[in-house]
Amino acid sequence: MILRIFTSYIFRCVLICLPVLWLCGCAKKDKPSDPPPVFYTRLSLDISHEMNGSPLVRNTSTYSNPLGEKFIITKFRYYLSNFALVDDAGKTVPLASAYFLIDDAVDSTKRLVLDSVPVGNFTAVRFLIGVDSARNNSGVQSGALAPENGMFWTWNSGYIMAKMEGTSDAATTPMQGFEWHVGGFKEPYNVLRTVQLPLSFRVIPFMAAIPHFSMVASVDKWFTPNEASFAKTAIIMGPGAAAVNIANNYQQMFSIKN
Amino acid sequence: MRHKALYIAAAFGTLLLFAHACKKENKGGTGGFRTDPLTLSLPPGFPEPVYNFSNNPLTKQGVALGRFIFYDYRLSKDSTVSCGFCHQQFAAFGHFDHALSHGVGGQQGTRSVPVLFNMIWQKAFMWDGGVNNLEIQPLTPLTDHKEMGVDLQELLKKMQGDPKYRQQFSAAFGTEEVTSERMFKAITQFVGTMISGNSRYDSIIRKVPGAAFSPDEAAGYTLYQQKCAACHKEPLFTDLSYRSNGLPYLPALNDVGRMKITGNTADYLKFKVPSLRNILKSSPYMHDGRYFDIFQVFDFYDHGVKDTVTTDALVRKGLSLTDQQKRQLYLFLNTLTDYTLINNKDLSEVLIAP
């Protein structure tokens, strides 16, 4: 009788062993001792734009540069990226990779939230004005870096790190317009500039409050200490000495307010 | 025998458990989204490609979307010009019979249309190398006012509003969302499949039985090795460098070449060395398309080279060629025509309903 097999001792053993083996196979692989949980918080950074100490007013306010050239700003945009903190031991702690396009015309872009701030005592914040060369070289990007944002040069690949546009009586262009598009990530015309600002705070484990700081960008710094003249250079549309000159100025424009 | 029924039930239950376990493993976390992966067959003897698809996995659906975009004339500002309009398959994806690129509103650019094949081996794009990645290369013709003249944001809105595009983006990327990143990655996938490495020359090099140069072709190959190969290096038939070949400057076009990109006067009048593959199918010649016939190019190298500060040392004194040598070179270049590229049905135009 074939059914006798079900009563055989060996078969009973196999039958009992099978589900046990199956259960063992299905059991989740134990993780090799989980590392102790690390506490991270966020850091909020509000940016305001000022001209000679007062809030920047686009389109209607007429300003004057150190050369006495009168001008109106219509567009003011720039990238910030590669945020890092410096701790009290002098160590640089990079934060989660993020690229921000700050546009004076869009208030929501002036409120940055930085992620992955670890526990520690921090003394400074550090960031890049612009988009690093790695991103400039690695093909199409999305989000703030998407090409339809109008901050990308197509004929000579690369991001416009910062742009200021407007009109000036001094400009000799047809409609007295000026367009300063500052970009270029290759030597000798590399405009990438790192900024480090003192900013003191402490992150302790399970802290509830998110550290919050205000940063000011003083647009008047675009015109000093290097001469920046609308009469001489109304249009900057590619990497070059004129762009580097402006970048050397605007590197000084940021400060922490509170 | 009392427990027989019990054992049968246990055996059956175990089987069920196994079946269940197997079923679970087959379920992916993709929620039903599935693409068919593609592998490019690269010609033997070619170097490692510069563009790798690690961040843009090649799929049947992605290539199909890229092909649809490539041939969609609605991409241009006035719906008259597609990518394929200037890059014609029968001309090895160059523009037959047109010296300079032209686009919307009958406008003309200042350079000739480059051929599109073996793009994944290029380090940089355009005649001057100004574009640094294959994925962003289409940005230039799309947004150039003299070519397709489109506003990228408007184009994305237009695509998002088209059910056919939404369906194709969904098939290629999992959701209907049209983004510039997806669009450019799809175009890159399609253009990446344009590979030319199967000409009669290739068969001869690979010692395919029966494939051989005629005596004139063989003489032409020897001439090529002596006079052309230093810049038009095998197997791509270009060394991808930028050189001035001594082509006289045209004031009307005022094109300074690579100097425009580097700002370095040493790059004055330098342009990328083009491939000689499919050269007889892709006239006109030179960055400004000034020569319509390959024999004009031979004549130029024989006695037309202008010696300037940046003219390449290899051609500074010209490359003397007798009439017989020109004929032999022509016959050799003819063996570089790749009919599997020109006639590949997977690359041909798709009709786009308005």
Side-chain angles (χ1 to χ4, degrees):
Chain A
M1 286 263 300
I2 188 83
L3 281 179
R4 179 159 293 181
I5 190 174
F6 290 108
T7 58
S8 90
Y9 180 71
I10 292 171
F11 182 75
R12 284 180 201 187
C13 281
V14 169
L15 213 54
I16 289 162
C17 287
L18 274 177
V20 173
L21 279 173
W22 176 76
L23 281 173
C24 291
C26 275
K28 289 254 152 58
K29 297 263 180 321
D30 275 357
K31 278 178 204 146
S33 62
D34 287 324
V38 181
F39 178 76
Y40 288 107
T41 189
R42 287 175 294 168
L43 174 72
S44 152
L45 200 60
D46 282 358
I47 302 178
S48 55
H49 297 151
E50 289 184 357
M51 185 69 96
N52 307 316
S54 308
L56 174 70
V57 180
R58 278 174 300 108
N59 302 320
T60 49
S61 281
T62 303
Y63 297 110
S64 205
N65 69 11
L67 296 166
E69 298 170 339
K70 299 222 176 328
F71 64 97
I72 288 172
I73 292 180
T74 55
K75 221 178 239 183
F76 182 61
R77 315 174 82 193
Y78 55 89
Y79 278 111
L80 296 184
S81 68
N82 288 261
F83 276 88
L85 297 171
V86 181
D87 71 11
D88 53 3
K91 201 178 135 220
T92 302
V93 181
L95 301 182
S97 171
Y99 295 80
F100 300 96
L101 174 56
I102 291 100
D103 184 346
D104 187 67
V106 183
D107 283 340
S108 61
T109 66
K110 292 181 245 177
R111 195 155 297 149
L112 314 190
V113 177
L114 308 173
D115 222 342
S116 304
V117 179
V119 169
N121 290 316
F122 300 104
T123 58
V125 63
R126 183 185 288 184
F127 55 86
L128 193 69
I129 310 175
V131 178
D132 51 89
S133 62
R135 282 294 168 122
N136 264 294
N137 276 312
S138 45
V140 66
Q141 306 291 325
S142 55
L145 299 179
E148 66 266 26
N149 290 334
M151 294 290 281
F152 192 78
W153 281 322
T154 57
W155 57 272
N156 190 354
S157 301
Y159 283 92
I160 297 166
M161 315 299 186
K163 67 159 75 163
M164 183 195 283
E165 292 181 16
T167 53
S168 170
D169 294 344
T172 53
T173 48
M175 304 295 286
Q176 261 89 50
F178 70 88
E179 290 181 38
W180 285 356
H181 293 184
V182 181
F185 59 95
K186 290 177 222 160
E187 296 303 337
Y189 302 121
N190 183 355
V191 300
L192 287 170
R193 292 292 178 274
T194 300
V195 176
Q196 184 168 320
L197 302 172
L199 171 150
S200 177
F201 71 106
R202 184 169 177 224
V203 175
I204 54 168
F206 310 108
M207 187 167 81
I210 293 171
H212 181 278
F213 295 93
S214 294
M215 187 163 81
V216 175
S218 303
V219 187
D220 43 285
K221 290 283 168 48
W222 278 53
F223 303 95
T224 53
N226 303 309
E227 184 186 281
S229 158
F230 298 117
K232 280 186 190 156
T233 315
I235 305 290
I236 301 174
M237 278 289 161
V244 171
N245 185 52
I246 302 272
N248 287 338
N249 286 347
Y250 72 48
Q251 182 174 18
Q252 312 298 328
M253 77 171 159
F254 293 102
S255 57
I256 299 289
K257 204 157 63 175
N258 50 347
Chain B
M1 295 296 265
R2 268 181 305 163
H3 303 301
K4 194 166 75 186
L6 198 66
Y7 285 123
I8 293 173
F12 188 66
T14 310
L15 268 175
L16 268 180
L17 276 172
F18 273 119
H20 185 65
C22 291
K23 212 159 72 187
K24 246 203 295 202
E25 274 170 23
N26 277 344
K27 255 192 233 164
T30 48
F33 168 61
R34 208 164 272 179
T35 49
D36 305 310
L38 270 185
T39 311
L40 285 181
S41 57
L42 305 180
F46 272 43
E48 192 65 21
V50 173
Y51 185 85
N52 69 58
F53 289 90
S54 55
N55 288 320
N56 183 18
L58 202 59
T59 66
K60 221 175 114 185
Q61 290 79 2
V63 172
L65 171 59
R67 183 181 179 188
F68 192 87
I69 297 172
F70 188 85
Y71 287 114
D72 190 351
Y73 52 88
R74 296 172 303 174
L75 258 61
S76 59
K77 189 181 179 183
D78 59 2
S79 289
T80 56
V81 175
S82 66
C83 309
F85 172 84
C86 277
H87 298 284
Q88 300 166 307
Q89 189 182 13
F90 67 89
F93 297 99
H95 202 172
F96 176 71
D97 213 22
H98 283 79
L100 299 171
S101 65
H102 65 171
V104 292
Q107 294 185 88
Q108 250 190 357
T110 53
R111 288 178 185 165
S112 64
V113 175
V115 287
L116 298 188
F117 56 79
N118 299 344
M119 288 291 109
I120 56 174
W121 282 278
Q122 302 262 333
K123 285 176 256 175
F125 302 84
M126 310 296 270
W127 279 105
D128 54 23
V131 175
N132 67 7
N133 193 297
L134 181 55
E135 288 173 9
I136 52 172
Q137 165 54 40
L139 265 172
T140 316
L142 265 174
T143 53
D144 191 304
H145 294 292
K146 288 176 171 178
E147 296 189 29
M148 296 169 84
V150 80
D151 178 280
L152 216 47
Q153 256 161 0
E154 279 170 29
L155 174 64
L156 293 170
K157 252 185 250 164
K158 204 156 116 180
M159 283 180 154
Q160 191 77 64
D162 180 359
K164 177 80 180 148
Y165 266 121
R166 287 204 302 272
Q167 182 253 315
Q168 289 199 88
F169 272 84
S170 174
F173 298 107
T175 67
E176 290 189 338
E177 198 194 353
V178 174
T179 69
S180 56
E181 186 186 10
R182 289 173 166 192
M183 172 172 82
F184 287 116
K185 285 190 163 171
I187 298 175
T188 303
Q189 290 194 29
F190 177 58
V191 172
T193 66
M194 297 173 179
I195 291 177
S196 181
N198 201 22
S199 62
R200 205 157 66 75
Y201 153 86
D202 294 293
S203 304
I204 295 162
I205 292 296
R206 283 169 213 150
K207 300 190 166 50
V208 172
F213 285 129
S214 72
D216 274 338
E217 286 166 355
Y221 185 35
T222 308
L223 275 169
Y224 151 79
Q225 287 171 317
Q226 289 163 353
K227 303 196 183 238
C228 322
C231 307
H232 299 282
K233 202 176 141 214
E234 293 168 90
L236 295 169
F237 284 86
T238 164
D239 66 351
L240 303 172
S241 65
Y242 306 89
R243 297 172 191 259
S244 165
N245 62 352
L247 199 67
Y249 167 81
L250 281 185
L253 294 177
N254 184 29
D255 193 346
V256 297
R258 186 154 172 82
M259 188 176 109
K260 195 178 161 194
I261 301 304
T262 61
N264 186 346
T265 50
D267 289 325
Y268 180 62
L269 298 184
K270 286 188 181 173
F271 295 90
K272 188 194 276 174
V273 174
S275 174
L276 295 184
R277 286 184 175 273
N278 305 298
I279 194 79
L280 295 187
K281 292 288 176 192
S282 56
S283 70
Y285 305 111
M286 304 298 168
H287 68 271
D288 52 15
R290 72 174 74 179
Y291 298 136
F292 275 73
D293 192 295
I294 197 74
F295 282 89
Q296 289 175 298
V297 177
F298 297 154
D299 290 343
F300 159 72
Y301 280 117
D302 180 62
H303 57 260
V305 174
K306 194 169 161 53
D307 191 355
T308 70
V309 190
T310 56
T311 301
D312 205 282
L314 290 163
V315 294
R316 181 162 279 170
K317 302 224 156 56
L319 305 168
S320 64
L321 290 164
T322 65
D323 283 352
Q324 192 203 12
Q325 287 174 325
K326 290 174 194 168
R327 187 176 156 273
Q328 288 166 334
L329 258 186
Y330 169 84
L331 289 169
F332 167 67
L333 293 178
N334 191 43
T335 69
L336 291 174
T337 301
D338 183 354
Y339 292 96
T340 60
L341 172 82
I342 286 165
N343 299 326
N344 186 343
K345 286 197 169 52
D346 293 335
L347 303 176
S348 66
E349 181 151 13
V350 282
L351 288 177
I352 314 278

